[in-house]
Amino acid sequence: MKNNVISVNKRKIYVSILAGGQGTRLWPISTPQYPKPFVSLGPAGTLYDGTLTRAWALEPSCVVTIGAGGLRGFCDRGGADFLEEPAGRNTAAAVALAAAHAWSKVGEDGLLLVLPADHYIPDAGDFSRTVFSLARTCLDQRALGVMGIRPSGPETAYGYIEAAEPAGEGFRVRRFIEKPDRAKAEALLKQGNFSWNSGMFLYPLTILRQELATHCPGYWEACQSWLESGDPEPYLALTSISVDYALMEKTSKVVMVPADFIWSDVGTFPSLYALLPKDDEGNAGWGPGRVEECTGCLIVTRKRETLVRGLTGHVVIETESGLLVVPLSKSDGIRNAVESILSGA
């Protein structure tokens, strides 16, 4: 079937934005009280607001943010509805909840687009073109869909997708690979047919419901109980597991379209540093503090009475929630220390 035969009814698109996480990956910019999607990242803006802008640019039937009740106040903007989870049960449950809700809003022939709330994608036009390319491919191939990111290096923080034969405007997916070590990541890139797993999915609802029934039995019914009668118990009993593990790695009905846009999940300080504009000395950041004789640093200050001087390749973050000073090259290894600080240990 030729690609131009496939048409996508925008009014059948239901966009689900998944809001969650512990808020510790960019501490102390983000915290459990002020998670990453909702805090300002200086020149990069607020990731959640950017996600809303891209979602509405698609002209969908509706945009719905899914998350714990405590996030409602953060999400009450941009025209999106809010769908509360009884409790966090990872992305498999959240996707099933979005699907059951979408079924009631746009019908069984609808398309569910799942977007994390905390991705940085500066070009909404390129994003929209990729979404509609993936939608046409999913409808043509009667398959679930994922956007693949073209790797810029042997990254170990992302899962990988192996492309098989061409399908529609993309490829059939041979397999998903969980976050590899560096040696394996380098080997995957040499093969030339691997993409990063973006965590952005598009699902024809009828096919998704069938595949959930096969690989995630009970999830649809648990979500219906919550939506229709307000009974949280079946949802609370669901296994906390990602949609990648629970569904995407098990089903054989998956297609991938390579993403034609700049993308970051802004999950580390090096990734934040990479997307920010730099001064003549290669420094990035924001805030009223003074910076002198620094090179290649990421510096965020809260007070005018702050001086950062004579550093090379460091992260310096000063907020009301804490102070972090660490070499940029070692900033990926602070998670355990941060969790210890936050727990009071």
Side-chain angles (χ1 to χ4, degrees):
M1 181 177 291
K2 296 181 180 180
N3 293 331
N4 60 11
V5 175
I6 302 294
S7 63
V8 178
N9 183 352
K10 295 179 179 179
R11 303 308 299 170
K12 283 293 184 178
I13 297 176
Y14 174 112
V15 181
S16 173
I17 299 174
L18 304 187
Q22 299 301 310
T24 59
R25 299 179 75 184
L26 292 182
W27 181 91
I29 297 175
S30 65
T31 67
Q33 292 74 35
Y34 291 93
K36 183 180 68 170
F38 310 107
V39 298
S40 173
L41 298 180
T46 302
L47 298 175
Y48 178 69
D49 289 342
T51 305
L52 284 177
T53 298
R54 293 191 299 277
W56 284 120
L58 299 168
E59 302 178 24
S61 174
C62 54
V63 177
V64 178
T65 301
I66 295 180
L71 296 177
R72 185 183 294 272
F74 292 111
C75 302
D76 188 19
R77 60 183 190 263
D81 295 328
F82 186 79
L83 179 58
E84 181 178 342
E85 290 183 276
R89 286 296 180 270
N90 213 316
T91 56
V95 166
L97 182 61
H101 191 249
W103 190 282
S104 69
K105 295 295 183 181
V106 297
E108 63 184 45
D109 58 342
L111 295 168
L112 170 63
L113 175 64
V114 177
L115 304 176
D118 59 354
H119 287 184
Y120 175 77
I121 301 170
D123 194 318
D126 287 344
F127 172 78
S128 294
R129 284 186 283 275
T130 301
V131 169
F132 289 117
S133 176
L134 181 58
R136 291 189 294 269
T137 299
C138 287
L139 292 172
D140 182 24
Q141 300 292 313
R142 294 191 53 78
L144 310 179
V146 59
M147 297 182 212
I149 305 296
R150 291 185 175 89
S152 58
E155 180 61 61
T156 61
Y158 310 130
Y160 285 68
I161 304 167
E162 183 178 7
E165 68 276 7
E169 297 172 42
F171 302 89
R172 283 278 172 181
V173 170
R174 178 169 289 121
R175 57 174 172 155
F176 289 81
I177 296 178
E178 288 306 312
K179 300 174 184 178
D181 59 26
R182 186 172 181 84
K184 186 172 183 180
E186 291 174 346
L188 295 178
L189 292 190
K190 288 179 180 178
Q191 295 185 43
N193 62 332
F194 281 88
S195 300
W196 291 338
N197 181 359
S198 71
M200 294 181 284
F201 304 104
L202 193 140
Y203 301 125
L205 285 175
T206 299
I207 300 169
L208 176 58
R209 185 169 184 175
Q210 293 170 353
E211 294 304 294
L212 284 172
T214 299
H215 303 289
C216 306
Y219 275 67
W220 188 279
E221 293 76 13
C223 294
Q224 283 186 315
S225 294
W226 172 242
L227 292 172
E228 295 175 3
S229 64
D231 179 8
E233 294 305 319
Y235 195 92
L236 296 177
L238 295 176
T239 301
S240 181
I241 187 173
S242 73
V243 71
D244 305 78
Y245 278 121
L247 177 62
M248 302 302 286
E249 294 182 9
K250 294 180 179 178
T251 178
S252 61
K253 299 178 180 179
V254 187
V255 292
M256 182 272 291
V257 165
D260 286 322
F261 49 77
I262 296 170
W263 171 90
S264 174
D265 72 344
V266 202
T268 64
F269 285 111
S271 64
L272 175 59
Y273 173 80
L275 64 87
L276 293 174
K278 314 295 191 299
D279 65 16
D280 291 342
E281 288 73 40
N283 298 310
W286 63 91
R290 178 175 294 189
V291 178
E292 296 181 352
E293 300 177 16
C294 290
T295 304
C297 292
L298 172 60
I299 301 172
V300 176
T301 61
R302 180 173 67 92
K303 298 181 293 184
R304 188 179 65 85
E305 300 84 0
T306 297
L307 172 64
V308 182
R309 181 183 174 94
L311 295 179
T312 298
H314 272 67
V315 178
V316 180
I317 309 293
E318 175 200 38
T319 72
E320 293 183 356
S321 301
L323 173 65
L324 173 69
V325 182
V326 63
L328 190 61
S329 62
K330 296 184 178 180
S331 60
D332 286 354
I334 64 172
R335 179 175 180 176
N336 290 340
V338 170
E339 291 179 349
S340 177
I341 291 171
L342 296 176
S343 67

